[in-house]
Amino acid sequence: RALARRNNISGDAITKEQLRLFWEQISDESFDAKLQVFFDMVDKDEDGRVTEEEVAEIISLSASANKLSNIQKQAKEYAALIMEELDPDNAGFIMIENLEMLLLQAPNQSVRIGDSRILSQMLSQKLKPAKETNPLVRWSEKIKYFILDNWQRLWIMMLWLGICCGLFAYKFIQYKNKAAYDVMGYCVCVAKGGAETLKFNMALILLPVCRNTITWLRNKTKLGTVVPFDDNLNFHKVIASGIVVGVLLHAGAHLTCDFPRLIAADEETYEPMEKYFGDQPESYWWFVKGVEGWTGIVMVVLMAIAFTLATPWFRRNKLNLPNFLKKLTGFNAFWYSHHLFIIVYALLIVHGIKLYLTKIWYQKTTWMYLAVPILLYASERLIRAFRSSIKPVKMLKVAVYPGNVLSLHMTKPQGFKYKSGQYMFVNCRAVSPFEWHPFSITSAPGDEYLSVHIRTLGDWTRKLRTVFSEVCKPPTAGKSGLLRADGGDGNLPFPKVLIDGPYGAPAQDYKKYDVVLLVGLGIGATPMISILKDIINNMKSPDRDSDIENNNSNNNNNSKGFKTRKAYFYWVTREQGSFEWFKGIMDEVSELDDEGIIELHNYCTSVYEEGDARVALIAMLQSLQHAKNGVDVVSGTRVKSHFAKPNWRQVYKKVAVHHPGKRIGVFYCGMPGMVKELKNLALDFSRKTTTKFDFHKENF
C-alpha cells in the first residue's frame, strides 16, 4: 500500500510493469531509497501527517530493531522532543516531509559516510606506505618485525628448550654407560632422560604463578626489559605441555619397553639387575604394586584430571555435556582440580626417593629440583593469607548494573599501594572460603577507596552477585535494572570480603608512553577506566605542569612524573545498558578535559552500522538530544556513541597521522578474538610508518 500510494496507483490490481517498478524500489540499496520506504510505512493512514503517537511507535520499533532497550522505554519522551522541534505551533502532527528533512539534515549516515571516505583518502595520502614488490624482501621484513616484537619470548623459549634438551641428553648418555642399558637398551635412556626434564619442569611450573615475586621483579628491577613478565600464564601453559611430553617419554618407555624387557630377560641377562629389583619380576603387577608404580599412576591420573579441566572447553563450559557432567566442569572445577598439585608434589617426592636404579641419597635429585620453588610458592601463599587477614576492608557501596555487572566499592587498607592497570584477588567467604579470583582495579591510585567491577560469567561470580543483590535496595532514580546499596554507615550486613594484591599487569606500563591507545571490549574496559581516572587525577594535580615540563626535559621512561600527553579510549560493548557501568567517569572526563588530553569513543555493536536506514532515526535522536541537553541517547553520558564496530585500520591511521615519529602504547583487554587483528595492525603500521605501536594484552 505504501509503495502504491507513493506511485499514485489505486485499485486492487497492478500491472506487470508496476510490479517491476515496485521491485526496483524495494531492492534499491541506497540510503535515500530505504529511507523513503521507511517513511511510506510510517504514514499508516496515508494522509502525509505523523502524530506524536506514531512518532513514539516509530522510535520504539527502531530502538527494538537496534536492541536499545533504554531508548525503547523512553520512546514517548523522545517523541515529544521531535514534536517540539517540528511542531512549534502545537498542531498535534508533523508533516512527513518535515521529518524527512530533519533526518537528512542531521549529521547522519550519508554525510558520515562521505566524511569517512574523505578522511580515509586524506590519511592514506599522508601515510603513503611504499609497497614492496619483491616477495623475499616482504618476507624478510615480516620476519624482522616478528623478531622485534617477540624477541623476549623467543630467547626465553630458546633458553627453556636448550635446558630441557641438555638435561635429556645428559641423562641419556649417563644411562647408556650403565649396566641397565645392557638389559633395557635405549628404553631406559629415554625414560631417564624424560624423567630429568620432568623434574625440571615440575619445579619450573611454579615460578610463573608466584605473583608477588613477579610483581616485585617488574616493579623494582629492570628485568622487565628482557623478560616478558606479562606472559607468565602463557609460559605456565608452555611448561605444562613440556610436562606432558616428559610424562609420555618417562612412563611410556617404562611401561611399553623397560618392564616387558625385564620380565622377558633370561637369568644371565637379568643378573646385573638383581641388586636393584631383587628376584626377577614375573608380571606387571609386581611393578604396579610397588611404591614407584602406584605413586606414578596416581600422579598421572591426577595431572590428567587437572590438565583436562584447565582447557578452555571445560573451564568455560563450551562443551554440550549432560547436566550431571556439567556440574563437574566450569571455573570451580578448574580451580579445585588445580589444587590437586599438593598431592602430586607429595607423591613426586616419594616417587623420587624410592628409585629402582638409584640407591645413593645425593643422586636422588628430585627434592633438589623442587626445594626452592616449593618453598617460594608456599611462602607466597602464606604471605597472601597473612596479608589478606591483617588488611581487612569494609564495603562502602555496592551496585548491580544492567548486563549482570556487580560493582564493589571498599575501603583502601593502610599501605595498599597500586598502579592503574593492576589487579587484585577477591575472596568472599559467603560464596566460597577457599576461592580467590582476580579482577582489575577500576579505582585510581589517588582515590580514597578501592573498586572492582565484576561481570557474571561463571558459577562463582553468579553466586557473588546473588549474595550482594540481596543487600541492595530496590531500583532507584528511575534506573531500571540498577540496584544500589550504600554501606558507608556500616549498618548494612554486607558479606565479608578479603582482598590480596596488588599484582602487576601489562596496562600498568601505560606511563611509559606519551601517547596511549586504550581498547576495552565489554567488561575488559575495567583496567582502562582506572587509567583514565589516574590521568584525570593528574590533570587536577597542582604539580602537573611542572611534571610535564620535567618529562619534556628528561625523556626517561622511569620518571615518576605525569608523562602521558594524549590518550585514546575505545570502548566496544554489545549492550546499551553497559554504559551505566562507568557513566560517572565518562561525564567527569568530558567536564574536566578542557585541553583534549583524553579522547573517548564508545561503540554499541547492537546498533546497525552507520549508513543503514534502520538506524537513521536513532542518529537523528542522538543529534537532537546531544544538541539540546548535551547527553547521548545511547550511552546516557556526555560522550556521543558510535554505531556498530570500529574500523580499527582507520583508528590506527588516525593515531599514526596525528603522532608521526612517536611510540604509541596499545593496551587491550577483552575476549581473545580481537587480539590477532589489533596486534597485526600494530605491526603493519609500525612497519609502514614512522609511528611505532607497542601492543600489550591483559592475560588473566
Side-chain angles (χ1 to χ4, degrees):
R1 291 176 61 189
L3 292 172
R5 185 177 71 251
R6 188 206 303 178
N7 293 280
N8 297 319
I9 298 173
S10 58
D12 297 329
I14 59 174
T15 64
K16 184 177 180 180
E17 183 63 25
Q18 290 170 338
L19 179 61
R20 184 186 64 79
L21 180 62
F22 285 3
W23 180 255
E24 289 178 352
Q25 292 174 350
I26 293 173
S27 59
D28 191 343
E29 292 295 323
S30 68
F31 176 79
D32 292 338
K34 287 184 178 180
L35 197 59
Q36 185 60 57
V37 173
F38 171 71
F39 284 141
D40 293 336
M41 294 173 64
V42 167
D43 190 14
K44 295 181 179 179
D45 53 8
E46 306 176 11
D47 61 353
R49 300 176 178 180
V50 183
T51 64
E52 185 170 342
E53 289 74 17
E54 288 176 324
V55 172
E57 184 179 357
I58 300 164
I59 294 173
S60 180
L61 291 173
S62 183
S64 176
N66 290 280
K67 299 179 182 178
L68 299 173
S69 56
N70 290 352
I71 293 179
Q72 191 175 3
K73 293 171 184 175
Q74 296 175 275
K76 291 184 178 180
E77 177 183 336
Y78 292 130
L81 179 66
I82 292 176
M83 297 300 291
E84 181 182 344
E85 182 75 18
L86 298 181
D87 184 25
D89 299 328
N90 295 321
F93 63 86
I94 57 175
M95 301 303 294
I96 197 75
E97 293 82 4
N98 295 336
L99 182 59
E100 180 179 8
M101 186 177 298
L102 181 63
L103 280 167
L104 293 175
Q105 282 179 349
N108 61 21
Q109 285 68 16
S110 57
V111 177
R112 288 179 183 177
I113 288 174
D115 289 345
S116 176
R117 289 172 179 168
I118 293 171
L119 177 62
S120 178
Q121 292 172 1
M122 291 172 60
L123 293 173
S124 298
Q125 289 174 0
K126 283 189 176 184
L127 293 174
K128 289 184 180 178
K131 188 175 181 180
E132 181 57 57
T133 57
N134 189 330
L136 291 176
V137 176
R138 287 205 308 270
W139 293 337
S140 64
E141 284 186 354
K142 287 183 179 179
I143 293 172
K144 170 188 171 184
Y145 280 97
F146 175 79
I147 293 174
L148 288 174
D149 187 55
N150 296 280
W151 68 270
Q152 293 175 315
R153 301 178 184 91
L154 289 173
W155 88 263
I156 290 291
M157 286 296 298
M158 295 300 293
L159 177 63
W160 174 70
L161 288 172
I163 294 174
C164 289
C165 292
L167 290 172
F168 182 88
Y170 161 69
K171 275 295 176 182
F172 188 96
I173 295 171
Q174 185 185 64
Y175 271 82
K176 191 175 183 300
N177 297 320
K178 288 191 174 186
Y181 174 77
D182 298 328
V183 182
M184 293 175 276
Y186 285 109
C187 300
V188 71
C189 300
V190 172
K192 289 300 181 178
E196 201 69 14
T197 64
L198 187 56
K199 290 185 285 187
F200 168 68
N201 285 322
M202 286 296 288
L204 187 64
I205 199 169
L206 292 175
L207 299 183
V209 290
C210 291
R211 294 182 175 87
N212 285 305
T213 303
I214 291 175
T215 301
W216 183 86
L217 289 173
R218 69 180 296 158
N219 290 342
K220 302 297 183 180
T221 71
K222 296 184 178 180
L223 285 176
T225 58
V226 293
V227 178
F229 289 121
D230 296 337
D231 285 326
N232 61 319
L233 293 183
N234 289 330
F235 190 48
H236 179 77
K237 297 172 185 176
V238 170
I239 300 170
S241 66
I243 290 175
V244 172
V245 174
V247 168
L248 292 175
L249 291 174
H250 179 66
H254 274 329
L255 294 173
T256 63
C257 187
D258 289 338
F259 297 163
R261 292 186 69 160
L262 285 170
I263 295 171
D266 55 48
E267 291 184 7
E268 183 179 352
T269 305
Y270 180 77
E271 184 179 354
M273 297 293 100
E274 286 186 359
K275 60 181 179 180
Y276 300 115
F277 296 96
D279 294 337
Q280 186 175 7
E282 296 180 357
S283 67
Y284 256 85
W285 175 246
W286 187 92
F287 295 101
V288 172
K289 69 180 182 180
V291 175
E292 281 284 283
W294 70 262
T295 54
I297 291 172
V298 173
M299 280 192 294
V300 170
V301 171
L302 294 180
M303 286 194 290
I305 293 172
F307 287 3
T308 301
L309 295 180
T311 58
W313 302 285
F314 289 93
R315 190 176 77 248
R316 297 177 181 174
N317 277 325
K318 290 185 176 181
L319 297 178
N320 188 17
L321 298 173
N323 289 332
F324 72 95
L325 287 178
K326 278 191 174 182
K327 295 179 180 179
L328 302 177
T329 62
F331 190 89
N332 278 358
F334 153 75
W335 194 90
Y336 284 110
S337 66
H338 241 56
H339 283 73
L340 293 172
F341 80 91
I342 299 173
I343 303 174
V344 171
Y345 277 97
L347 293 175
L348 181 59
I349 293 173
V350 174
H351 189 84
I353 292 174
K354 298 289 185 177
L355 293 176
Y356 289 127
L357 299 175
T358 304
K359 302 302 180 182
I360 304 174
W361 71 270
Y362 59 81
Q363 292 180 350
K364 300 176 181 182
T365 57
T366 302
W367 66 273
M368 300 180 188
Y369 278 101
L370 300 179
V372 174
I374 287 180
L375 285 175
L376 180 62
Y377 184 78
S379 300
E380 288 231 350
R381 295 301 293 259
L382 289 173
I383 290 171
R384 285 178 58 176
F386 181 70
R387 183 169 57 189
S388 61
S389 61
I390 66 171
K391 292 184 177 180
V393 295
K394 185 178 77 171
M395 208 57 56
L396 299 176
K397 185 177 71 172
V398 173
V400 182
Y401 292 104
N404 290 325
V405 168
L406 174 69
S407 171
L408 302 179
H409 287 66
M410 61 201 82
T411 57
K412 185 192 296 186
Q414 186 176 4
F416 190 93
K417 297 180 180 180
Y418 64 97
K419 299 178 181 179
S420 289
Q422 291 186 331
Y423 67 98
M424 66 182 182
F425 280 83
V426 176
N427 169 271
C428 181
R429 298 194 173 183
V431 178
S432 172
F434 305 111
E435 291 185 55
W436 291 79
H437 293 256
F439 299 101
S440 295
I441 303 173
T442 52
S443 54
D447 294 337
E448 296 180 354
Y449 61 90
L450 281 174
S451 67
V452 291
H453 286 66
I454 301 171
R455 181 96 186 250
T456 302
L457 294 173
D459 35 21
W460 187 87
T461 51
R462 189 160 43 247
K463 291 178 183 177
L464 184 73
R465 181 183 182 275
T466 301
V467 167
F468 277 97
S469 295
E470 295 174 357
V471 184
C472 292
K473 299 175 183 178
T476 58
K479 298 289 184 181
S480 178
L482 176 61
L483 303 175
R484 293 183 182 275
D486 186 356
D489 54 6
N491 295 325
L492 292 175
F494 283 120
K496 184 178 181 180
V497 169
L498 301 177
I499 64 169
D500 177 59
Y503 293 103
Q508 75 176 62
D509 294 330
Y510 87 95
K511 285 189 175 182
K512 294 181 179 179
Y513 301 93
D514 292 321
V515 181
V516 292
L517 174 58
L518 311 173
V519 181
L521 186 63
I523 197 63
T526 48
M528 314 309 169
I529 291 298
S530 179
I531 292 173
L532 293 182
K533 285 186 174 183
D534 196 27
I535 295 175
I536 287 291
N537 289 343
N538 275 285
M539 290 165 56
K540 296 177 182 177
S541 173
D543 299 327
R544 173 177 170 268
D545 293 335
S546 60
D547 286 340
I548 293 176
E549 184 178 349
N550 291 335
N551 281 327
N552 288 338
S553 60
N554 180 17
N555 190 22
N556 183 356
N557 285 346
N558 294 323
S559 172
K560 295 182 180 179
F562 179 66
K563 183 178 178 66
T564 305
R565 303 297 305 279
K566 185 70 177 180
Y568 298 88
F569 175 54
Y570 285 80
W571 184 19
V572 184
T573 184
R574 185 184 300 111
E575 301 170 356
Q576 182 188 9
S578 303
F579 294 113
E580 290 284 350
W581 306 345
F582 308 115
K583 181 178 178 181
I585 185 62
M586 297 290 176
D587 288 336
E588 188 177 4
V589 170
S590 300
E591 291 175 6
L592 297 177
D593 190 15
D594 297 329
E595 301 177 22
I597 293 176
I598 302 174
E599 192 173 300
L600 302 176
H601 298 273
N602 294 336
Y603 282 81
C604 188
T605 59
S606 69
V607 185
Y608 288 99
E609 67 177 336
E610 297 171 352
D612 195 304
R614 288 167 289 189
V615 82
L617 189 62
I618 302 298
M620 182 265 286
L621 278 176
Q622 184 186 50
S623 300
L624 279 179
Q625 178 77 343
H626 203 275
K628 185 170 183 178
N629 301 318
V631 177
D632 181 66
V633 295
V634 178
S635 66
T637 69
R638 297 176 183 272
V639 183
K640 289 191 72 173
S641 299
H642 304 281
F643 304 150
K645 297 178 181 179
N647 184 330
W648 293 112
R649 180 165 290 277
Q650 296 297 329
V651 171
Y652 275 87
K653 277 185 179 181
K654 175 184 174 182
V655 176
V657 167
H658 287 124
H659 306 282
K662 292 283 187 179
R663 184 168 290 275
I664 313 296
V666 182
F667 297 90
Y668 171 73
C669 185
M671 298 300 290
M674 281 176 52
V675 171
K676 185 176 180 181
E677 179 183 3
L678 293 174
K679 187 173 183 178
N680 287 342
L681 284 172
L683 290 172
D684 190 40
F685 277 88
S686 295
R687 186 171 68 250
K688 293 179 179 178
T689 70
T690 59
T691 307
K692 306 304 176 187
F693 292 87
D694 294 340
F695 182 79
H696 306 270
K697 178 182 77 72
E698 296 293 317
N699 292 318
F700 69 91

